[in-house]
Amino acid sequence: MTLIDNEARHHSRGRGRRPDAKHAKIPQLPFAQPKLTLEPSRILSDDQIETIHNRSLDVLEEIGMDVLNKEAREIYGRAGARVEGERVRIGRDIVEEALKTPPAEFTFYARNPAHNIQIGGKWIAFAPVGGPPNCSDMDRGRRPGTLEDNANFIRLSQFFNCIHTAGGGSVDALDVHASVRHLHIMRNKVRLSDKILYTISTGRARLFDGMEIARIARGLTREQFLKEPSCYTVINTNSPLKLDDPMGMGIIEMARHNQMVVCTPFTLAGAMAPVTIAGAIVEQNAEALAGLALSQLANPGAPFVYGGFTSNVDMKSGAPAFGTPEYMKACIMGGQLARRYRLPYRTSNTNAANMVDAQAAYESVFSLWGAIMGGGNIIQHAAGWMEGGLVASYEKFALDADLLQMVMEFLKPLDFSEDALGLDAMREVGPGGHFFGAQHTLARYSSAFYSPIISDWRNYSQWQASGSPQAWQRANEVWKRALAEYQQPPLDPAIAEEIDAFVAKREQEGGEKTDF
């Protein structure tokens, strides 16, 4: 007998917490974009933020960045940067000028207008895990990702209302050759989701193919596409202080096409950045500002998101650590810097756990809280991230969906109406009574409190009689139910046919050229 069957049996005896759980749909909040209704946290004073800013400019002016993309070096050079071979030293005047033009807030357009989102301000958007080569679930274990796994994670991203994007390739499709993999993944996103699209920028053909599929999916002319941000990419600098060829190209071309660049240095304190968090943040900030300058030099006013991904390493093994106190501090400091620059802020929900256990949960709660209270506008890897980013987990995806919904519910403004203050209920019940049968309760009981997806609130005897299910077991059933409940969003047949023809043409042309 399954966990859900056991639940249904106990509900039928009036002892459970959910009626007819076997047939009930997964409890979800409606699709909505949360806002930070609290004041974001501060670790640094205004003076300390200015010190970080000025030290970052010192780094760019004195040490500089190695920029491998030839056109990027030329763009910096025309703006007055000192270019010596691949080393580019960027003057603070270039950075200060670049800070004047990017939008502080803008609309990001999805294939389905109901899934458009706002980027910046106090708006928050959750994106699923992106990029792991492996995936796992409790039935089949840890394994290389496939195109079908990739499709399943897109389905989960579409199904859960707390997720705002179609994902960035939540797990790589290693059963498809790298030259054409991006075409099949992008087509999956358009077919299986109508939420915000992500395109990879690890090669010129991959980037342009992704932008073209995003344009076709929304039925836009090329002129309209240039006016409406319809896809985004994440640019990771090669810390310390290096911008690779494809990443430089990605910043330039996405900016030219008015699509969103999320520039995120990967600064692990003690490995790719100074061992001190303050020093690591100086490096993070310098690299992000270098990306900003390139974006705005390529196209002033192009949408740009300040990314932070500073954490520490385990000094015993050298492995990345996430969900740490240092990570939380870095999230909050990064948010302070982004607000100083009036830029939208990207951060992440991470953990370093190797299975869906207590470590995975508490590290995610810590990193998620740092991301939210840091004022994060885009929370990458919000659902499904495991093993420091090496694995996309089906069970963790379901568990994280519950966490994200709890955050969304927590951020909802408090009802402070006269009715909500409950004086009539207290008059009705009086001293020594209880509120279960009060009219105030009966009118609200079905929607008064958050209904969890994973958490089990039954007492011990009820839980034990149901088979003593653990959270990861409930999560296993939830993701399976989610895939069963998933409904593919409609896509205009003419658009689907055009995308298929484009993919077939690009496959025949070889896609992104590789040396294998």
Side-chain angles (χ1 to χ4, degrees):
M1 181 174 290
T2 68
L3 169 62
I4 297 174
D5 289 335
N6 272 319
E7 279 194 349
R9 178 165 55 87
H10 285 280
H11 285 311
S12 69
R13 288 153 53 181
R15 298 173 57 192
R17 62 184 174 87
R18 292 193 186 111
D20 195 18
K22 184 174 181 179
H23 301 289
K25 290 186 176 295
I26 294 171
Q28 289 204 67
L29 301 177
F31 181 88
Q33 196 177 356
K35 294 182 80 171
L36 183 61
T37 49
L38 308 173
E39 285 300 314
S41 296
R42 291 167 54 92
I43 289 178
L44 302 177
S45 68
D46 290 344
D47 287 345
Q48 289 171 324
I49 286 292
E50 289 309 302
T51 297
I52 295 287
H53 171 68
N54 286 312
R55 293 297 175 271
S56 303
L57 297 182
D58 290 341
V59 169
L60 293 177
E61 280 190 328
E62 297 173 17
I63 304 170
M65 295 271 293
D66 279 356
V67 178
L68 275 57
N69 182 272
K70 182 176 182 291
E71 186 178 12
R73 294 195 300 271
E74 291 171 351
I75 290 172
Y76 282 126
R78 286 196 295 271
R82 286 189 295 139
V83 180
E84 299 171 352
E86 292 181 343
R87 182 65 55 89
V88 178
R89 291 177 174 85
I90 306 167
R92 59 189 64 220
D93 57 322
I94 297 173
V95 174
E96 296 291 0
E97 191 64 27
L99 284 167
K100 297 177 182 178
T101 50
E105 183 177 327
F106 57 92
T107 300
F108 203 180
Y109 295 89
R111 181 165 73 80
N112 177 358
H115 288 151
N116 291 351
I117 60 175
Q118 292 297 115
I119 303 294
K122 292 195 172 184
W123 294 102
I124 301 169
F126 296 121
V129 60
N134 306 299
C135 64
S136 70
D137 64 69
M138 60 179 285
D139 303 299
R140 294 168 289 177
R142 188 184 192 273
R143 61 195 186 278
T146 65
L147 189 62
E148 181 57 25
D149 286 310
N150 174 272
N152 279 337
F153 279 100
I154 295 170
R155 292 181 181 106
L156 292 175
S157 299
Q158 174 72 12
F159 173 82
F160 284 106
N161 293 332
C162 58
I163 301 296
H164 299 95
T165 82
S170 287
V171 64
D172 218 351
L174 298 182
D175 56 340
V176 181
H177 194 271
S179 61
V180 296
R181 186 182 301 157
H182 65 285
L183 294 165
H184 293 273
I185 289 176
M186 197 69 177
R187 180 167 57 182
N188 266 353
K189 292 177 195 175
V190 172
R191 284 176 171 173
L192 304 176
S193 177
D194 58 11
K195 295 181 180 179
I196 294 297
L197 291 171
Y198 172 96
T199 182
I200 58 175
S201 50
T202 56
R204 190 176 188 86
R206 293 187 183 107
L207 181 68
F208 276 81
D209 288 345
M211 284 195 288
E212 182 64 3
I213 291 174
R215 183 193 69 79
I216 296 170
R218 291 197 58 227
L220 301 179
T221 65
R222 286 178 170 78
E223 291 72 24
Q224 287 174 299
F225 184 71
L226 294 174
K227 295 177 182 177
E228 298 182 358
S230 304
C231 62
Y232 75 107
T233 196
V234 172
I235 299 296
N236 292 125
T237 51
N238 190 354
S239 305
L241 302 175
K242 189 174 183 178
L243 184 64
D244 284 341
D245 187 9
M247 296 293 97
M249 177 278 304
I251 292 175
I252 294 167
E253 295 299 347
M254 288 290 279
R256 283 174 174 163
H257 288 79
N258 199 41
Q259 303 304 304
M260 188 172 82
V261 167
V262 181
C263 186
T264 310
F266 187 28
T267 38
L268 289 178
M272 294 99 82
V275 73
T276 56
I277 296 301
I281 290 294
V282 168
E283 184 185 310
Q284 168 190 295
N285 198 53
E287 294 180 8
L289 291 177
L292 167 76
L294 182 58
S295 165
Q296 299 308 297
L297 290 169
N299 181 19
F304 182 91
V305 175
Y306 179 104
F309 207 74
T310 293
S311 192
N312 55 295
V313 296
D314 174 11
M315 297 306 287
K316 298 182 181 70
S317 67
F322 295 104
T324 64
E326 293 79 9
Y327 182 80
M328 293 180 71
K329 290 178 182 178
C331 283
I332 292 170
M333 293 161 70
Q336 287 186 257
L337 287 160
R339 290 191 296 280
R340 190 262 187 230
Y341 301 135
R342 296 184 69 252
L343 290 171
Y345 178 42
R346 168 260 161 107
T347 180
S348 301
N349 173 20
T350 59
N351 68 90
N354 294 312
M355 67 175 295
V356 183
D357 58 5
Q359 178 185 341
Y362 67 67
E363 287 182 352
S364 284
V365 168
F366 274 118
S367 62
L368 185 58
W369 195 241
I372 295 295
M373 294 313 296
N377 300 114
I378 301 175
I379 315 297
Q380 288 286 121
H381 313 302
W385 165 292
M386 289 287 295
E387 289 188 39
L390 293 177
V391 166
S393 162
Y394 283 85
E395 283 79 25
K396 185 63 163 46
F397 200 108
L399 184 69
D400 284 331
D402 208 1
L403 291 179
L404 299 180
Q405 286 202 150
M406 284 190 267
V407 168
M408 292 172 69
E409 190 70 20
F410 173 77
L411 292 175
K412 284 183 180 177
L414 185 68
D415 181 358
F416 211 69
S417 64
E418 280 298 321
D419 193 43
L421 291 170
L423 264 65
D424 286 343
M426 287 183 263
R427 291 187 184 104
E428 178 186 346
V429 172
H434 68 76
F435 289 82
F436 283 114
Q439 185 58 41
H440 189 266
T441 303
L442 293 174
R444 294 165 178 77
Y445 77 94
S446 63
S447 59
F449 307 123
Y450 174 70
S451 181
I453 298 174
I454 303 295
S455 297
D456 193 330
W457 293 343
R458 292 171 294 188
N459 65 35
Y460 182 83
S461 61
Q462 294 168 355
W463 170 77
Q464 187 179 48
S466 188
S468 307
Q470 298 183 50
W472 59 268
Q473 293 170 310
R474 292 191 59 80
N476 176 265
E477 297 230 7
V478 165
W479 72 257
K480 292 175 182 175
R481 285 172 60 189
L483 289 181
E485 291 180 23
Y486 161 85
Q487 294 184 342
Q488 187 167 324
L491 177 63
D492 186 316
I495 288 177
E497 184 177 339
E498 187 176 357
I499 290 173
D500 285 343
F502 177 79
V503 169
K505 172 178 174 290
R506 291 293 297 122
E507 277 195 293
Q508 189 175 22
E509 293 169 348
E512 179 77 43
K513 297 294 188 288
T514 66
D515 57 2
F516 59 94

